[in-house]
Amino acid sequence: MSRIIGKTLQPGDEIVTTWLDHYANVSSWQALEENGVLVKQARFDPETFKLDLDHLASLLSSKTKLVAVGLASNAIGTINPIAKIAALAHNVGALLYVDAVHYAPHGPIDVQALGCDMLVCSVYKFFGPHVGLLWGKKAVLESLPVYQVSAAPKTVPQKFETGMPNYEGLAGATAAINYLASVGQEFGSRFADELSQYQDRRRHLKQAMHAISLFERNLFTNLMEQLQTIPKITIFGITDPKEFEHRCPTVAFTVNGYTPIEVAKILGEQNIFVWDGNFYAQGVTEQLGLEAAGGLVRAGLAHYNTQEDVNRFITALKAL
Ligand SMILES: Cc1ncc(COP(=O)(O)O)c(C=O)c1O
């Protein structure tokens, strides 16, 4: 998409992204700098772990053509206030492009409520294959230049296909969506009344994402309570349960006396899978001053995790 959108930009045009983002949503825009486009990054507050909206607003001007921001940080879990950012972007006439890759498996997404112009995601993050997904306002997608094999249709959505569609990937994406809908049917009926405006599979999907969000929130609240009792651990991210609507169940931390990779290896030997480093969100580890020391340890919950998993994780950390 950066190549497509880049075709519409002139030297001197600006794109604003953030230090909180995965660099898939930073480097792809920075690649346009060779055409004279300027890319700016909004800070996050290292005390609250939230995006600094005043700083973001200060970077916007009539030169800003696009604001590219993550729905949730894949490093520290913060969920960004997309509707507010949409208002700021639209106020200067810029489009808002949202990277929903990290957030997607954790809760419902309503693009109308977010007010974004485009939203992208990777299907593998919600248990499907490696397929990219783009939602966009019809008028916006229609206004973008064609980027494809010349003989292919020039209409949305085919105009963005660079070759024969990835049919097996699309079949896998459909299967992942059907799987989530089945989760909604089985575990989400308590949300049926409040979601009665949606029909059929869409309702089941909404039910699933509401049920998953609630389930993960409860499990994560317990995980965070236990994690905070371990003196060696420093958590980087929102820790107040009253603020948990602003974060995903993804926690980043360091352990005193161990490098992040050492922690990941020790846990990995016990079949507990965490990740270490910057997770391609190097703006986060750089702004927190952790990049040189190996970044962070990151653990995340999904809807298949259990209290037993959480307890095993905590016991392993306490044994360090
Ligand atoms: C927030 C976020 N954006 C983008 C990506 C990159 O996705 P892909 O490799 O499918 O482009 C990731 C992957 O972890 C991510 O977490």
Side-chain angles (χ1 to χ4, degrees):
M1 287 309 293
S2 62
R3 284 180 230 159
I4 295 169
I5 292 169
K7 283 171 142 219
T8 68
L9 302 178
Q10 311 297 323
D13 284 347
E14 296 182 0
I15 293 176
V16 173
T17 178
T18 84
W19 286 98
L20 210 46
D21 269 86
H22 186 290
Y23 269 52
N25 201 28
V26 178
S27 305
S28 43
W29 305 115
Q30 285 173 336
L32 299 172
E33 287 182 329
E34 65 185 18
N35 303 338
V37 172
L38 186 64
V39 178
K40 297 178 168 177
Q41 276 177 277
R43 287 190 297 261
F44 66 92
D45 182 334
E47 303 283 316
T48 63
F49 301 100
K50 290 182 180 170
L51 210 53
D52 181 341
L53 286 190
D54 291 335
H55 185 232
L56 188 138
S58 76
L59 300 179
L60 301 174
S61 73
S62 58
K63 291 190 207 153
T64 317
K65 300 301 172 219
L66 187 86
V67 176
V69 65
L71 182 41
S73 159
N74 68 311
I76 55 174
T78 308
I79 296 173
N80 290 320
I82 299 296
K84 282 188 190 159
I85 298 169
L88 291 172
H90 293 156
N91 203 25
V92 293
L95 293 174
L96 179 62
Y97 181 94
V98 173
D99 168 359
V101 175
H102 190 72
Y103 179 84
H106 300 299
I109 297 175
D110 181 340
V111 283
Q112 315 298 338
L114 295 176
C116 54
D117 298 287
M118 284 163 277
L119 180 138
V120 287
C121 190
S122 292
V123 176
Y124 73 89
K125 286 290 157 117
F126 57 86
F127 320 113
H130 282 82
V131 172
L133 180 160
L134 161 74
W135 172 88
K137 284 183 182 161
K138 194 160 181 244
V140 172
L141 297 185
E142 280 173 350
S143 73
L144 289 174
V146 171
Y147 187 90
Q148 38 109 272
V149 182
S150 63
K154 307 258 177 296
T155 45
V156 174
Q158 291 90 343
K159 73 187 234 186
F160 303 127
E161 293 290 353
T162 47
M164 186 57 79
N166 171 7
Y167 289 116
E168 67 279 24
L170 295 177
T174 307
I177 289 167
N178 287 340
Y179 160 70
L180 284 172
S182 76
V183 170
Q185 263 180 297
E186 194 170 344
F187 300 102
S189 47
R190 86 196 91 153
F191 298 101
D193 286 347
E194 67 184 88
L195 297 169
S196 58
Q197 73 271 36
Y198 303 107
Q199 304 304 318
D200 306 323
R201 185 172 67 176
R202 179 171 289 208
R203 176 174 325 165
H204 295 145
L205 264 181
K206 291 277 181 193
Q207 287 181 190
M209 299 324 294
H210 280 80
I212 285 172
S213 170
L214 182 63
F215 173 81
E216 291 181 354
R217 175 82 54 86
N218 289 336
L219 201 54
F220 186 70
T221 304
N222 177 275
L223 186 154
M224 288 294 269
E225 255 170 44
Q226 297 202 64
L227 204 54
Q228 285 171 283
T229 66
I230 308 175
K232 276 186 193 154
I233 286 186
T234 308
I235 297 170
F236 293 85
I238 296 168
T239 52
D240 179 356
K242 290 197 282 300
E243 293 263 301
F244 280 1
E245 73 196 84
H246 301 298
R247 64 138 48 250
C248 282
T250 307
V251 58
F253 56 91
T254 54
V255 185
N256 198 10
Y258 294 83
T259 62
I261 195 166
E262 285 170 343
V263 177
K265 278 186 177 159
I266 293 167
L267 295 179
E269 280 156 12
Q270 300 169 61
N271 289 339
I272 298 170
F273 299 108
V274 299
W275 201 242
D276 70 280
N278 61 31
F279 331 107
Y280 288 12
Q282 63 261 41
V284 172
T285 47
E286 276 167 16
Q287 212 187 316
L288 293 174
L290 296 169
E291 183 62 20
L296 290 154
V297 183
R298 180 185 67 171
L301 293 177
H303 66 288
Y304 47 72
N305 285 118
T306 62
Q307 183 66 52
E308 196 197 337
D309 294 338
V310 170
N311 294 345
R312 219 156 61 75
F313 170 63
I314 296 292
T315 304
L317 286 175
K318 282 185 175 161
L320 287 173

